[in-house]
Amino acid sequence: MSDFRAAYINELYKISKKKKITVTIILSVLAVILTGIVVYAINRFAGIRITGYSEFPTLALSVFSYTLIPLFTAFVCIDMFSSEFVEQTIKITLTGPASRFKVFTAKVLAAATFIAANLLFVMLITLIVSLFINGIPTDLFKIILSYIFEFFPIFVFALMIILICNITKGTVSAFMISILVFLLLNGLGIVFSAYKSFLFTSAFDWYKLFLGSYINFHKIFRVFVILCGYGIMLFGISNYLFDKKEL
Amino acid sequence: MKLSKKMTALCACVVGVALLTTSAFADVLIGSGYYNLKNAAKTTAAKLTNETDNFTIDIAATVKVDDKAIVESTGQTKCDVKNQATEESFKTVDNGKTEDGYTYSDKEESISRDGNTGVYYIYKKTNTGKDSVIENPFNVKGADDVEKIIDAFVGSLQDTVQVEETDGKKMYTGNLSDAQIPPLVNAISSYALKYGILDKNRSEDMGIPYPETNIYVLGASGKAIEGKDGIIESVIGSASASGTDENGAAHTYSVEFSVSITDINNTTVAKPDLEGEDVEYSTSGFELSEKYVGKYKNDIVKQEDNSFVKCGERIFEITSVENGVMAGKYYEVYNNGYQPNTKREFEFSTKVTKGDYFNSFTYTENGEEKTGIIEESGKQNLMVSLDIEMNDDGGYRTKDSSKNFDETFIRVFE
Amino acid sequence: MDKAIMIENLSKTYKNNRGIHDINLEVNSGEIFGFLGPNGAGKTTAMKIMTGLMKPDKGDVKINGYSITESYEKAMKNVGCIIESVMLHQYLSGFENMKLRARYFDVSDSRIDECLEITGMLKFKNEKTKNYSLGMRQRLGLSMAILSDPQILILDEPLNGLDVEGMVEIRNLILKLSRETGTTFFISSHLIHDVELTCNKIGILYEGKLLNIDSTDNILKNYSSLENYYLSEVDSNV
């Protein structure tokens, strides 16, 4: 277990030492502030309040859950897998005392931690910005719940990228394929909207299921099971490929 | 150990896929309330337009500002699918003023009554039998694409529609809070409210406060009941928005509406009895009749120095119109000093064909068969285009593009 | 005597038909084993399998009695290694790279400094490793390998990129560790002279096959130098 903890801390340490993390923080703040300014300006000059009473943080989530958050997640996952394969630095980790399964799990958990931290960070920034636009959000509980639930589909997306990293040979190809898959799944969801339950990308806005006065718990449960299914499958396949990988 | 790693991966895969597919299949089979409602709407449209003989739709809508009704409108449409006839009536109370109207239409004609004057306008359809009076809106071209775009917009909100089934009837209810309304939908609706539905002048006329700032959608709710036969019997819905006027006071603007479908196979659509009523007739398109027999002229004009000079006249003369067959001649008369080398002249006796948009005829000029177009222009004048060519899209163009006359022939009364 | 490393019927063939074929060898605890062979003989392949970076087609490697394919963690618990050239995280400093390994063994920062001192890298410890030369990377790799005081060190071409001075230093380090802590070494090299000076047991790998294993003392009894022995072994097997 101490091996696993060390592997996990190492992964977080590596993420935190990258310049990308600074870029992530700066871009997140800028994007949130920009969105805030747009919302404010539209009300100021056109008289339209985009967010209504709906809190600014949920509005920001609906925008970022399809843009910045998956993008940053892709960067981090590709750094953790593809970059280390290409630069061969993975050899240091893989000749260490932790088994490959532990290393893989540590990396996945580090990705999950990053996603959670990114969501938490965006939520805090949006809450601060919303003080300037809407005043104090009235339903903090639902906002927090929305951000917590957004974690799951993004995490499944991260597992998808990790699988792609374990199949592709370079960082650029892994990134391009990840983006393509993301667009493709979203596109398929629009074209075959009756069957989009099969696509985890359709759960990217599932937190909206909680926001209304009527909450369809059965539906929430089904989506959760679908995400779990995806998670288990992707984790299993990626772990197998990672274990089999020869360096 | 090697095998067991493979087995573990396989197991994870099988378990994952099993969870995913069973749940997703269940999800697709159960469908969202929204999908069920959409299918119910499709079934309703299909059944009403194909399987029923007749039905009645009642519609009522109210616009309220701060819970005070500003506009109230009710309407009733009776549809006779079997005989392709409809009767529509409506009544609107707009800020105390009442307006009403009535329209009957079938394949041959439509009769509408002006609520203010009580005059009936009878409009004879010339293109009879082509368009059906009642059509399934889901079969209209492009409906599929619109449906997909709406589906994409609705997204996860699909599941906010709740379905309850009692005694074979299904009740769909949906409530959207402001937090659930997508920002884009909110922005578009708010924009529409501020600049489309209510503009400053209109709200002053209506005596309601104009929303200047802080406009946003408060929420929307709806309820629909589907009967045992799969037809939606009634729909009620409401939506409201909030806005602040120039004095800083917040107001609520809301719309409520209800639709119900009743008297299926029990509705009678009757042509109104016009005995003793004030009636005006009109027809769609142009119908050549005997009243057009006569002489029509078009001046031949030339520009000399800085003035227009009349050189002569083009004469289009209709000598008889019988059963759609028009006989007559075309010729040109020139003034002294302007005689051309050749004068255009031909006689015709031809059937006038009614097209979708214009009436055409054929004639022979210099041994060559040509096509012309004849339309009314004003009340008593004609527009005649000679030597034209039909396009594939149903339009036409003049072969001789150098012609320099406007094709309007003025009726000559002798 | 304890068997530190046991290689049994180890085979691995690449798509181009090269690789290693049916290798059997044993390294006793405390021995310095020299894995001698020309470039491309399969030394790195064998060592990648030994450290779990690759899976064998056939056979197994046991380190301290534990199979590397079946109980990797137990087998690698007391092993330090350098495989191929040392690849470091370029955005981290030398010290930070060391720290990554230190976390597994709960090693203190002063021990990291100690290991850096041993390889002469202490003065570069806060520099980002993207500026390191090949020799510096090799030294840092060595520091990482010895960090946890492992019983077994598997070093693939450890003198790669080092200058003469560096070579002597590292050789002395190996001999010192062997003498003082009884560390077992498995060192691959294509430098015959260096192997002769460092190792007390030598195996020759040629075209994927292990030709012969003998102690350095025995070899030098029968041949004037290791080079002569190597040439005659290779000759008799071609």
Side-chain angles (χ1 to χ4, degrees):
Chain A
M1 204 56 208
S2 68
D3 289 347
F4 176 73
R5 221 184 69 219
Y8 171 62
I9 294 169
N10 275 352
E11 293 306 327
L12 288 184
Y13 183 75
K14 284 189 280 186
I15 295 172
S16 73
K17 283 286 175 182
K18 290 228 162 171
K19 283 216 180 70
K20 285 194 182 96
I21 202 75
T22 329
V23 176
T24 305
I25 291 169
I26 293 169
L27 277 183
S28 298
V29 173
L30 281 182
V32 171
I33 291 174
L34 192 72
T35 315
I37 289 172
V38 169
V39 168
Y40 179 78
I42 290 178
N43 192 8
R44 185 73 201 274
F45 299 110
I48 293 165
R49 209 163 108 182
I50 302 276
T51 51
Y53 272 134
S54 92
E55 322 301 347
F56 178 66
T58 17
L59 165 85
L61 184 63
S62 71
V63 177
F64 295 153
S65 59
Y66 284 95
T67 48
L68 285 188
I69 294 170
L71 189 71
F72 291 152
T73 305
F75 278 141
V76 165
C77 291
I78 288 167
D79 262 0
M80 256 192 309
F81 286 90
S82 288
S83 293
E84 295 207 5
F85 289 141
V86 170
E87 289 163 16
Q88 298 230 321
T89 46
I90 193 97
K91 279 197 301 187
I92 303 179
T93 316
L94 289 187
T95 52
S99 67
R100 285 205 184 187
F101 176 71
K102 281 183 185 166
V103 171
F104 180 79
T105 313
K107 279 179 181 285
V108 170
L109 200 64
T113 311
F114 171 81
I115 295 165
N118 195 4
L119 285 167
L120 182 71
F121 183 72
V122 170
M123 185 179 79
L124 290 177
I125 301 284
T126 52
L127 280 173
I128 293 166
V129 171
S130 71
L131 290 179
F132 294 95
I133 308 173
N134 289 9
I136 298 158
T138 47
D139 207 342
L140 204 59
F141 176 68
K142 282 199 168 171
I143 293 173
I144 295 171
L145 212 61
S146 299
Y147 275 80
I148 291 175
F149 274 84
E150 186 57 20
F151 169 81
F152 296 99
I154 300 281
F155 179 56
V156 172
F157 179 59
L159 287 171
M160 180 94 225
I161 298 168
I162 290 170
L163 174 64
I164 291 167
C165 289
N166 277 290
I167 295 168
T168 53
K169 286 224 156 79
T171 49
V172 178
S173 56
F175 185 70
M176 297 310 280
I177 291 172
S178 299
I179 299 276
L180 273 179
V181 167
F182 181 70
L183 294 177
L184 187 75
L185 290 180
N186 276 303
L188 284 176
I190 292 171
V191 179
F192 302 102
S193 55
Y195 298 98
K196 68 179 194 171
S197 307
F198 283 94
L199 307 168
F200 69 87
T201 41
S202 69
F204 270 37
D205 62 352
W206 76 313
Y207 61 85
K208 283 188 181 153
L209 295 174
F210 293 91
L211 295 179
S213 46
Y214 161 63
I215 297 177
N216 187 341
F217 286 104
H218 288 281
K219 170 77 185 180
I220 291 166
F221 177 72
R222 285 197 300 275
V223 176
F224 189 73
V225 174
I226 290 168
L227 289 175
C228 285
Y230 260 111
I232 294 170
M233 179 180 78
L234 292 170
F235 186 90
I237 301 170
S238 307
N239 178 49
Y240 177 67
L241 291 175
F242 186 78
D243 190 75
K244 240 180 56 173
K245 198 139 196 136
E246 309 214 313
L247 292 146
Chain B
M1 198 68 194
K2 236 185 189 172
L3 189 74
S4 93
K5 268 180 186 164
K6 218 172 221 170
M7 284 303 286
T8 323
L10 205 67
C11 283
C13 225
V14 170
V15 170
V17 171
L19 281 176
L20 155 68
T21 47
T22 48
S23 206
F25 264 118
D27 208 51
V28 170
L29 282 179
I30 292 166
S32 59
Y34 168 78
Y35 265 97
N36 289 330
L37 180 60
K38 205 170 75 178
N39 285 335
K42 282 183 184 170
T43 313
T44 305
K47 282 201 171 175
L48 288 182
T49 49
N50 296 325
E51 290 174 25
T52 59
D53 291 342
N54 51 57
F55 57 91
T56 304
I57 302 176
D58 285 290
I59 299 172
T62 314
V63 176
K64 289 179 176 174
V65 175
D66 295 329
D67 275 338
K68 195 177 140 236
I70 302 296
V71 182
E72 281 182 282
S73 184
T74 53
Q76 187 181 60
T77 306
K78 291 180 181 173
C79 297
D80 189 333
V81 186
K82 209 171 161 189
N83 303 313
Q84 290 287 308
T86 60
E87 253 186 297
E88 286 170 42
S89 58
F90 74 91
K91 189 176 166 192
T92 303
V93 183
D94 187 344
N95 230 13
K97 277 182 288 174
T98 310
E99 206 181 304
D100 65 342
Y102 167 87
T103 307
Y104 165 87
S105 64
D106 61 24
K107 288 187 168 186
E108 261 85 47
E109 59 189 343
S110 85
I111 303 167
S112 58
R113 190 173 65 83
D114 186 321
N116 293 327
T117 58
V119 177
Y120 281 92
Y121 294 91
I122 300 175
Y123 174 82
K124 292 277 181 191
K125 296 180 181 174
T126 47
N127 230 342
T128 50
K130 273 201 172 172
D131 299 321
S132 53
V133 180
I134 303 147
E135 259 192 291
N136 186 346
F138 289 99
N139 291 347
V140 175
K141 214 175 156 188
D144 287 12
D145 298 328
V146 173
E147 194 185 322
K148 268 179 192 145
I149 292 166
I150 292 174
D151 285 353
F153 248 103
V154 170
S156 275
L157 297 179
Q158 290 182 1
D159 302 290
T160 54
V161 179
Q162 200 177 353
V163 192
E164 268 173 51
E165 204 166 343
T166 41
D167 302 331
K169 284 192 174 190
K170 276 187 186 165
M171 186 168 78
Y172 300 88
T173 46
N175 274 300
L176 283 185
S177 71
D178 59 330
Q180 283 173 300
I181 292 166
L184 199 58
V185 174
N186 182 35
I188 293 171
S189 328
S190 301
Y191 185 87
L193 175 68
K194 188 175 176 185
Y195 297 102
I197 303 167
L198 278 178
D199 58 31
K200 205 154 189 170
N201 294 333
R202 252 193 90 154
S203 45
E204 267 168 26
D205 288 350
M206 291 166 81
I208 56 172
Y210 179 63
E212 289 279 357
T213 53
N214 267 343
I215 305 168
Y216 63 92
V217 179
L218 278 171
S221 66
K223 188 166 155 183
I225 293 170
E226 181 189 324
K228 285 176 187 160
D229 47 6
I231 290 176
I232 295 175
E233 294 169 346
S234 73
V235 179
I236 55 172
S238 67
S240 56
S242 175
T244 309
D245 66 15
E246 52 192 355
N247 302 322
H251 299 281
T252 309
Y253 303 83
S254 56
V255 182
E256 288 164 17
F257 71 91
S258 70
V259 180
S260 62
I261 296 165
T262 52
D263 294 329
I264 292 169
N265 294 338
N266 210 3
T267 301
T268 0
V269 175
K271 202 165 163 174
D273 182 11
L274 300 177
E275 189 77 21
E277 299 284 351
D278 212 345
V279 175
E280 270 192 38
Y281 285 91
S282 65
T283 43
S284 78
F286 167 68
E287 191 156 22
L288 195 69
S289 60
E290 275 174 48
K291 65 176 181 264
Y292 287 98
V293 171
K295 207 168 161 184
Y296 300 82
K297 66 162 192 158
N298 175 287
D299 291 340
I300 303 170
V301 178
K302 202 175 155 186
Q303 190 174 345
E304 271 182 10
D305 297 330
N306 207 22
S307 57
F308 294 112
V309 179
K310 181 173 168 178
C311 314
E313 284 172 355
R314 300 182 185 91
I315 308 290
F316 189 80
E317 201 175 322
I318 300 174
T319 50
S320 75
V321 175
E322 253 175 69
N323 301 327
V325 175
M326 168 178 81
K329 58 182 173 184
Y330 171 89
Y331 58 95
E332 290 168 351
V333 181
Y334 287 88
N335 296 346
N336 282 339
Y338 295 105
Q339 297 290 348
N341 296 337
T342 50
K343 273 200 260 178
R344 201 173 180 190
E345 198 172 350
F346 57 87
E347 287 188 9
F348 51 83
S349 176
T350 172
K351 193 167 169 57
V352 174
T353 317
K354 270 181 149 266
D356 282 352
Y357 308 108
F358 47 80
N359 304 307
S360 61
F361 62 95
T362 53
Y363 62 94
T364 313
E365 186 183 2
N366 301 331
E368 202 183 322
E369 185 158 290
K370 292 177 175 175
T371 310
I373 299 290
I374 183 163
E375 293 294 330
E376 66 182 330
S377 173
K379 213 174 193 132
Q380 77 282 9
N381 303 327
L382 289 178
M383 204 205 73
V384 182
S385 308
L386 298 173
D387 198 12
I388 61 104
E389 195 172 34
M390 294 289 186
N391 291 344
D392 292 339
D393 61 1
Y396 68 88
R397 62 186 178 87
T398 313
K399 275 183 181 171
D400 181 11
S401 57
S402 66
K403 69 173 170 58
N404 54 355
F405 76 101
D406 62 2
E407 298 175 335
T408 305
F409 286 77
I410 312 288
R411 177 76 178 254
V412 182
F413 292 99
E414 282 163 33
Chain C
M1 210 173 259
D2 278 355
K3 301 272 183 290
I5 300 171
M6 278 172 71
I7 298 179
E8 293 160 351
N9 306 320
L10 200 64
S11 295
K12 170 96 187 168
T13 317
Y14 292 112
K15 284 197 187 97
N16 60 10
N17 233 3
R18 283 174 50 182
I20 51 173
H21 312 287
D22 234 3
I23 292 179
N24 286 284
L25 69 83
E26 290 177 3
V27 178
N28 295 323
S29 239
E31 280 180 339
I32 305 177
F33 180 79
F35 206 29
L36 193 61
N39 290 325
K43 298 190 298 282
T44 298
T45 303
M47 294 173 96
K48 280 186 170 175
I49 296 170
M50 286 169 71
T51 50
L53 288 175
M54 273 185 183
K55 306 274 180 297
D57 293 345
K58 207 180 81 182
D60 201 359
V61 176
K62 287 198 172 107
I63 299 180
N64 284 333
Y66 296 108
S67 155
I68 192 81
T69 51
E70 282 169 30
S71 17
Y72 172 88
E73 290 192 349
K74 282 177 180 152
M76 287 297 280
K77 200 175 172 202
N78 289 304
V79 177
C81 63
I82 298 179
I83 304 295
E84 274 181 312
S85 53
V86 177
M87 291 299 181
L88 301 166
H89 295 282
Q90 302 203 335
Y91 53 92
L92 298 177
S93 69
F95 182 82
E96 286 166 341
N97 269 291
M98 294 285 285
K99 190 83 189 157
L100 291 181
R101 188 162 170 83
R103 285 200 185 90
Y104 288 107
F105 301 101
D106 222 359
V107 167
S108 68
D109 287 0
S110 59
R111 168 67 186 161
I112 295 177
D113 285 351
E114 193 183 316
C115 292
L116 288 169
E117 177 73 65
I118 292 170
T119 55
M121 287 299 291
L122 191 60
K123 53 184 178 289
F124 307 111
K125 78 167 194 179
N126 291 321
E127 231 175 85
K128 289 265 186 302
T129 59
K130 66 173 173 221
N131 302 324
Y132 280 17
S133 67
L134 180 62
M136 285 159 84
R137 294 212 314 260
Q138 211 65 25
R139 284 165 188 261
L140 198 80
L142 212 57
S143 316
M144 287 166 91
I146 62 174
L147 186 68
S148 62
D149 259 330
Q151 295 165 8
I152 298 167
L153 278 168
I154 297 171
L155 307 174
D156 185 13
E157 304 275 5
L159 306 182
N160 216 355
L162 294 178
D163 48 26
V164 179
E165 216 173 295
M167 285 186 186
V168 175
E169 272 175 45
I170 299 302
R171 190 186 306 139
N172 290 337
L173 174 68
I174 292 168
L175 293 171
K176 186 173 158 234
L177 283 173
S178 169
R179 203 167 51 239
E180 290 176 2
T181 59
T183 309
T184 311
F185 284 87
F186 189 104
I187 303 170
S188 79
S189 183
H190 61 280
L191 306 168
I192 293 175
H193 175 66
D194 185 65
V195 170
E196 184 182 328
L197 289 177
T198 322
C199 305
N200 48 33
K201 190 174 182 181
I202 292 162
I204 294 174
L205 191 68
Y206 190 79
E207 291 186 341
K209 291 190 186 94
L210 192 65
L211 300 187
N212 203 357
I213 305 175
D214 210 341
S215 73
T216 316
D217 292 344
N218 271 346
I219 292 166
L220 293 179
K221 254 182 236 164
N222 303 323
Y223 295 87
S224 61
S225 72
L226 183 59
E227 194 169 312
N228 290 347
Y229 166 73
Y230 174 79
L231 290 175
S232 78
E233 280 296 319
V234 168
D235 269 354
S236 63
N237 278 280
V238 168

